[in-house]
Amino acid sequence: MPANKTGPSGKSGKKKKGRRARLLVITVVLLLVAGIGFGAYWSVSTVRASFPETSGTLQLKGLGGEVKVARDDHGVPQIYANSAEDLFRAQGFVQAQDRFWEMDVRRHLTAGRLSEMFGEGQVETDAFIRTMGWRKVAQEEYDTKLSAATKKYLQAYSDGVNAYLKDHQGKSLSVEYAALEFKNDYKPEKWTPVDSVAWLKAMAWDLRGNVQDEIDRSLASTRLSPQQIEQLYPAYPYDRNKPIVEGGAIDPATKEFDPKATPAAPGSTGESGGTGRTGNARTGTPGGTGAQGNAGTPGASGTPGGNGTPGGNGTPNSGSAATSGGAGAAGGLRTGLTSLSNTLDKIPALLGKSGNGIGSNSWVVSGQYTTTGKPLLANDPHLAPQMPSLWYQMGLHCTKAGPSCPFDVAGYTFAGMPGVVIGHNQDIAWGMTNLGADVSDLYLEKVTSGSYLYDNKQVPFATRKETIKVAGGDERTITVRSTRNGPVVSDRNDELGKVGQDAPVKDPAPDRAEGYAVSLRWTALEPGSTMDALLDLNRATDFASFRKAAAGFDVPSQNLIYADTKGNIGYQAPGRIPVRKGDGRMPAPGWDPAFQWTGYLKPQELPWELNPKRGYIVTANQAVTDKKYPYSLTGDWGYGARSKRIDDLIQSKIKDGGKISTDDMQKMQMDNSSEIAKLLTPYLLKIDLKGTNERETKYVREAQKLLEGWDYNQEADSAAAAYFNAVWRNTLKLAFGNKLPKELRVKGQCLRVHPTNDAGPQEDLEGKTRLVRECGEREPDSAQPDGGDRWFEVVRSILDKPGDEWWKTGGRGGAANRDELLAQAMKDARWELTSKLGKDVNSWSWGRLHQLNLKNQTLGKDGPGIVQWMLNRGPWNLAGGEAAVNAAGWNAAGGYDVIWVPSMRMVVNLADLDKSRWINLTGASGHAYNAHYYDQTDKWAKGELLPWAFSADAVKKVTDAELTLKP
């Protein structure tokens, strides 16, 4: 399919030409709709009824004074008010104008109330979210944690939303409500401050850390040996990819992180090492490395100080464990973890599926290396594509900024929340990337009907009832049980109730009886102060106030980068990060006190730096610190492919006295270079490809020749990029994917394999000749191997070992070594692309394979076909790729479709804020057929950025429509 070239080109609803063009489009659409029987429901007035008024004068109840809303030719609003409360009241009103459907769906998701809007199909999702209690925790945060000022701003925001709702219902809110009326008589409720706070829980859920990795490692043990699992989760390559903070240490006197301090010698002073990872009784999974000690006191199972040594290995399939409570997967546990994984897959991931793709790039360069003489800061969060974009661009300006009205800020926020999440004010700029801290753990729980076991005692559950209302159906009531570790998530699925029937644990573990339940401990289920922190970031004026704001940023844990107009650059790691004795890589025994969290790292213990000597800071989900940092943040970092590439790009510009410009920063964001291609292509070019005859040999070699002279850039029109990525996908499938258990493979992908049983993994059954047909169970965008930079490291580790077992596929005609497997992957890729793109290799292009489709997150996925057609847009043929800086990500197990994108891009110029640049994935509007529904997408796809006016004079020059709000 060709790329979508139909984006709106009109400048404003005020322009007659643009209005006539849109009216023509709407009319054509509705004529088509009427032709298939929906004409009675749809009209031009229905589609246009929700378009916001963007000029003239409107009354807004509760205002203390007049407010101006200036929109540019892309509909991006800049709000000017005399008081902070008026500013946020107007923000609520304006966001409701543009995005209320999105806001309404989000609050129903976070409250576990989607069934009220969409019916029976959402009951399971609602029950799981009610079990976690997102809304309940948000209410506790609002009641007990937030400052009086934040509550005042949240209430003002809510009042603004409700002022809009008072005069808008049904089709005047959005076309989705008109469609929803076909099914039920749903009417939106008033907005509340807790609706805004609860969105932080969804944000934290999508960025929660390694729960999926815990599940995947456990499930992998049903077919892979312990050593194989360890190979698939290699250690971070510190020798090649630098951490964010290079150096620094905890000061022994102050107990605070000092970026200039030298780490103490191993085993000198300080605290004990952590507990090594427990062994797996059934499969013999090796124990993990103990947390590093900065003290001479021995860790629980690590060696004194330094790096803890691994815990012992369980004897494979012997039933003995290195320590009690290992948690691999077999029998009931396998079934339960599979069901849990499937349940997690069904929860709408508003930021994206938790996994390899969720990440971001951000980097800041000091003025000593820029053409402006002041810092330049870039940020592009990598999230799931959706329609409209997750982000909402806007500016919030106090007419006279001061103590009573301290906001003069612009950037990206979420519809439904006051303030700005990422952006800049008059003094500082900041960006975010996912730190990836391990902030969640699964626990096995030994339960009875009314209690669970802890420390050899029966402890009563904390219980509560939850009633789920269902549109067009009967109400459902569930009972939520919680342990000291958190809610019992296994209660939400019949199969989850079978968890642990064969869990690989040994005495002193309790009798299995009917198995173990599974509970979830997660930092976001404890009330925090992140909303305070976000608003404090908005009004920070220097690095000290920036760090103070970051100290309250509890969840999700993000890498925060910083720059200011005085020329400083900095970094701060925030977040509520647990201290645990184990390493959190596998489900832990909930009955054993040794596996409990023992507290949280203090904000002053977390890494930071200011004006490092190297003159720049790069964060791209790589390791935060080196191995000398005494506390464990996670063992599941990104592997640093993007951060290394960004570092190399910066170094290439500043060597020999070079300087970096705003244009250079923008160009770096669009870097498409493939790190795995640089590694693997030389091997592919050496393969002597041969077919079954001369014609076939020539046919497969035609594709191979595409790689000759290729520069490894994944441009949309590149035939070489298309072929290489197809080879990479097929290499992963042959070497790893076909050897993974069905729970990790793509749904519907069926293989003939040796069966597994409770005795252990596949190698125990090699003597059997009987094969069974086994089909994958994972959704395509979350299956393995996903092809991200973890898999780069896996392949790197065996590439110089042509006889490694992973290269062998077995069976008649199977590969016996590396070169045979690569040859087969190259042939398979040739045939695959021939079927998808045609026989002529010169006509191939990466973009035709690698397409972006933007879908409305609700009715655009599950609504009537005609409604999906009206709400969704695409495709766009994209450059970039998995773990490239231009991270248009795809899942190699599932296909080539784009499932991760730079959800926005910005470059902030601290020398002249009005020369900053930004772009959104779609547009300001959430209304289909509005001029600003996706008017930034074509530019975004090409790597273009829009001018970002900030000062009052600059905004005035680009104002295309102005709305006055009066009391």
Side-chain angles (χ1 to χ4, degrees):
M1 277 184 289
N4 186 307
K5 300 295 182 185
T6 59
S9 58
K11 281 196 169 186
S12 168
K14 298 193 305 175
K15 309 290 186 181
K16 288 185 179 179
K17 183 177 180 181
R19 185 167 61 235
R20 287 171 180 167
R22 290 193 303 281
L23 185 60
L24 178 61
V25 170
I26 294 169
T27 302
V28 170
V29 168
L30 294 172
L31 284 172
L32 291 171
V33 173
I36 59 171
F38 281 82
Y41 294 100
W42 299 92
S43 66
V44 172
S45 63
T46 299
V47 175
R48 300 188 67 215
S50 58
F51 290 7
E53 295 181 58
T54 58
S55 60
T57 302
L58 292 174
Q59 282 192 321
L60 178 53
K61 184 180 178 181
L63 286 177
E66 194 171 272
V67 176
K68 298 287 187 182
V69 183
R71 292 180 185 255
D72 65 13
D73 61 355
H74 283 87
V76 176
Q78 305 280 343
I79 302 176
Y80 295 85
N82 295 324
S83 73
E85 286 181 87
D86 280 358
L87 198 61
F88 293 120
R89 184 174 282 105
Q91 183 183 16
F93 182 87
V94 169
Q95 288 192 340
Q97 279 187 307
D98 285 334
R99 299 280 193 97
F100 185 74
W101 168 260
E102 177 186 11
M103 294 164 60
D104 200 17
V105 171
R106 283 180 181 172
R107 67 167 167 176
H108 279 79
L109 167 65
T110 58
R113 296 176 57 193
L114 288 172
S115 300
E116 294 178 25
M117 299 181 76
F118 305 112
E120 186 81 21
Q122 297 299 321
V123 170
E124 184 178 337
T125 296
D126 285 346
F128 193 80
I129 290 171
R130 296 281 189 102
T131 296
M132 288 190 288
W134 290 358
R135 173 78 185 200
K136 174 178 174 289
V137 178
Q139 184 70 58
E140 292 174 17
E141 283 187 7
Y142 182 79
D143 292 341
T144 65
K145 294 292 184 180
L146 300 183
S147 69
T150 295
K151 289 182 179 182
K152 182 171 64 175
Y153 300 152
L154 284 164
Q155 187 59 59
Y157 180 92
S158 297
D159 290 345
V161 175
N162 292 328
Y164 187 77
L165 288 181
K166 186 172 182 292
D167 299 320
H168 297 80
Q169 292 290 330
K171 67 180 183 181
S172 67
L173 271 176
S174 79
V175 71
E176 288 94 336
Y177 288 102
L180 202 62
E181 287 177 358
F182 295 165
K183 297 173 62 177
N184 59 57
D185 58 355
Y186 171 79
K187 297 292 186 295
E189 298 172 353
K190 286 186 176 182
W191 193 265
T192 73
V194 180
D195 291 333
S196 297
V197 177
W199 166 239
L200 293 172
K201 301 305 161 190
M203 179 179 168
W205 176 254
D206 288 340
L207 301 172
R208 64 193 176 273
N210 72 339
V211 164
Q212 193 63 60
D213 284 334
E214 284 188 47
I215 294 171
D216 287 358
R217 276 189 284 259
S218 297
L219 291 172
S221 67
T222 64
R223 191 162 290 281
L224 302 179
S225 73
Q227 293 74 24
Q228 288 174 319
I229 295 172
E230 291 299 304
Q231 281 185 285
L232 299 188
Y233 290 88
Y236 184 85
Y238 285 101
D239 59 333
R240 189 172 62 256
N241 298 341
K242 298 175 184 176
I244 296 171
V245 177
E246 300 175 38
I250 299 293
D251 187 300
T254 64
K255 303 296 184 183
E256 296 181 3
F257 184 85
D258 180 353
K260 296 181 180 179
T262 301
S268 59
T269 59
E271 302 185 10
S272 63
T275 305
R277 184 163 67 254
T278 56
N280 179 316
R282 185 166 299 282
T283 65
T285 302
T289 302
Q292 298 162 357
N294 63 351
T297 307
S301 64
T303 55
N307 289 340
T309 56
N313 286 350
T315 303
N317 308 306
S318 67
S320 63
T323 61
S324 69
L333 182 62
R334 175 185 183 181
T335 304
L337 289 175
T338 302
S339 296
L340 176 57
S341 179
N342 292 339
T343 300
L344 299 185
D345 260 351
K346 292 177 183 177
I347 296 175
L350 294 181
L351 302 188
K353 297 281 186 183
S354 180
N356 182 68
I358 278 199
S360 305
N361 301 322
S362 68
W363 66 95
V364 59
V365 182
S366 168
Q368 71 184 100
Y369 292 129
T370 67
T371 58
T372 67
K374 289 289 178 71
L376 293 171
L377 184 151
N379 195 192
D380 53 283
H382 306 156
L383 304 170
Q386 55 185 270
M387 192 86 202
S389 166
L390 180 82
W391 298 107
Y392 185 90
Q393 298 157 284
M394 71 186 320
L396 301 169
H397 310 276
C398 292
T399 308
K400 293 181 180 179
S404 62
C405 190
F407 297 97
D408 187 14
V409 62
Y412 298 84
T413 188
F414 299 127
M417 275 176 51
V420 166
V421 177
I422 295 174
H424 71 81
N425 61 28
Q426 71 275 27
D427 297 308
I428 76 164
W430 69 95
M432 298 184 189
T433 65
N434 195 24
L435 191 150
D438 186 359
V439 295
S440 54
D441 281 338
L442 295 174
Y443 283 88
L444 296 177
E445 304 284 0
K446 179 55 187 171
V447 306
T448 62
S449 58
S451 64
Y452 62 97
L453 185 68
Y454 178 72
D455 197 15
N456 295 317
K457 299 176 183 177
Q458 292 298 132
V459 182
F461 288 109
T463 62
R464 69 179 189 275
K465 299 283 187 181
E466 295 277 353
T467 299
I468 300 171
K469 296 180 180 179
V470 182
D474 296 332
E475 292 182 352
R476 310 290 176 83
T477 299
I478 64 171
T479 299
V480 177
R481 302 188 296 173
S482 293
T483 72
R484 61 184 294 119
N485 294 314
V488 180
V489 292
S490 55
D491 283 348
R492 298 286 70 85
N493 186 290
D494 290 342
E495 290 184 343
L496 280 172
K498 303 173 185 175
V499 163
Q501 289 177 353
D502 298 291
V505 291
K506 187 179 181 262
D507 291 336
D511 178 24
R512 303 174 198 277
E514 295 181 1
Y516 304 133
V518 176
S519 64
L520 171 69
R521 185 159 192 190
W522 176 36
T523 55
L525 299 185
E526 301 172 29
S529 56
T530 302
M531 188 64 75
D532 278 347
L534 282 172
L535 293 173
D536 286 343
L537 277 177
N538 283 213
R539 54 195 171 204
T541 57
D542 55 21
F543 192 62
S545 53
F546 167 81
R547 289 195 67 209
K548 185 177 180 181
F553 202 105
D554 295 314
V555 292
S557 186
Q558 298 287 285
N559 295 306
L560 297 177
I561 60 165
Y562 168 93
D564 63 36
T565 56
K566 294 179 180 178
N568 300 298
I569 65 172
Y571 165 82
Q572 176 68 58
R576 181 190 291 147
I577 299 174
V579 177
R580 53 169 71 81
K581 291 183 178 179
D583 67 0
R585 286 166 56 93
M586 290 281 202
W591 53 84
D592 189 342
F595 289 85
Q596 293 294 300
W597 293 359
T598 59
Y600 301 99
L601 292 181
K602 298 179 178 65
Q604 59 267 31
E605 294 174 315
L606 292 169
W608 63 276
E609 60 183 352
L610 177 66
N611 298 324
K613 289 182 180 179
R614 64 185 176 277
Y616 61 90
I617 302 169
V618 176
T619 86
N621 318 116
Q622 79 271 39
V624 172
T625 62
D626 61 24
K627 291 184 284 187
K628 295 178 182 178
Y629 183 68
Y631 306 118
S632 174
L633 301 179
T634 184
D636 291 309
W637 309 109
Y639 282 79
R642 284 179 286 110
S643 62
K644 176 65 163 58
R645 177 61 178 170
I646 295 167
D647 193 278
D648 289 347
L649 291 170
I650 293 173
Q651 286 288 342
S652 70
K653 293 295 296 185
I654 66 176
K655 69 179 180 181
D656 302 324
K659 301 286 186 179
I660 293 176
S661 68
T662 306
D663 286 342
D664 292 329
M665 299 285 276
Q666 181 175 341
K667 186 177 180 181
M668 289 179 194
Q669 288 182 322
M670 293 303 294
D671 183 80
N672 297 315
S673 179
S674 170
E675 296 304 298
I676 188 60
K678 293 176 186 176
L679 181 67
L680 190 57
T681 299
Y683 289 85
L684 301 179
L685 288 173
K686 293 178 182 177
I687 301 295
D688 184 15
L689 283 180
K690 293 181 180 179
T692 55
N693 53 53
E694 184 176 345
R695 181 180 179 184
E696 185 180 331
T697 297
K698 180 181 178 181
Y699 198 65
V700 294
R701 286 181 177 174
E702 282 180 343
Q704 183 183 31
K705 288 179 181 179
L706 292 173
L707 302 178
E708 295 176 358
W710 179 41
D711 62 3
Y712 311 122
N713 284 324
Q714 301 170 96
E715 301 296 341
D717 61 358
S718 171
Y723 180 58
F724 173 80
N725 283 314
V727 174
W728 173 237
R729 166 172 150 81
N730 281 281
T731 297
L732 291 172
K733 180 180 178 182
L734 291 169
F736 308 102
N738 291 349
K739 300 168 187 176
L740 295 176
K742 62 183 180 181
E743 293 87 358
L744 303 183
R745 298 200 314 270
V746 175
K747 184 181 293 184
Q749 181 193 99
C750 301
L751 302 169
R752 302 287 293 181
V753 300
H754 291 283
T756 60
N757 61 22
D758 290 348
Q762 179 179 339
E763 53 261 42
D764 296 320
L765 303 168
E766 286 178 350
K768 295 188 177 182
T769 57
R770 181 173 62 90
L771 297 176
V772 296
R773 188 170 185 265
E774 186 182 81
C775 297
E777 298 178 352
R778 277 281 173 90
E779 293 298 326
D781 58 0
S782 58
Q784 293 294 333
D786 59 31
D789 62 357
R790 172 164 68 90
W791 293 98
F792 294 8
E793 295 303 314
V794 172
V795 171
R796 187 191 303 272
S797 71
I798 63 171
L799 203 48
D800 61 352
K801 302 171 185 175
D804 191 276
E805 289 299 315
W806 287 112
W807 297 121
K808 301 175 183 179
T809 58
R812 184 178 301 173
N817 56 48
R818 178 196 64 203
D819 289 353
E820 289 184 12
L821 185 141
L822 293 178
Q824 186 60 55
M826 294 172 78
K827 293 175 184 177
D828 290 349
R830 177 29 157 151
W831 298 115
E832 181 186 3
L833 295 199
T834 297
S835 67
K836 294 180 186 299
L837 302 178
K839 293 182 180 180
D840 182 2
V841 298
N842 295 310
S843 71
W844 292 355
S845 70
W846 174 225
R848 287 172 60 202
L849 277 179
H850 190 233
Q851 293 187 325
L852 168 68
N853 284 279
L854 294 172
K855 295 185 178 182
N856 178 285
Q857 288 298 285
T858 50
L859 299 182
K861 291 185 174 180
D862 298 316
I866 187 63
V867 174
Q868 293 187 41
W869 181 73
M870 293 180 69
L871 296 178
N872 299 340
R873 298 293 183 271
W876 282 266
N877 298 343
L878 294 191
E882 190 68 32
V885 179
N886 181 20
W890 54 288
N891 185 303
Y896 304 98
D897 289 344
V898 175
I899 60 172
W900 305 105
V901 293
S903 55
M904 61 79 158
R905 299 186 184 100
M906 74 175 192
V907 178
V908 183
N909 183 334
L910 277 299
D912 185 346
L913 293 169
D914 287 327
K915 292 182 179 178
S916 302
R917 304 172 187 176
W918 61 351
I919 197 79
N920 204 351
L921 173 63
T922 59
S925 179
H927 302 294
Y929 300 102
N930 184 277
H932 307 305
Y933 190 47
Y934 67 117
D935 59 336
Q936 297 185 48
T937 308
D938 283 346
K939 293 180 180 294
W940 172 91
K942 296 173 185 175
E944 298 177 19
L945 298 178
L946 300 173
W948 183 355
F950 177 71
S951 70
D953 288 343
V955 169
K956 187 175 182 179
K957 289 178 182 178
V958 299
T959 295
D960 194 60
E962 184 174 272
L963 176 68
T964 300
L965 299 175
K966 290 189 173 183

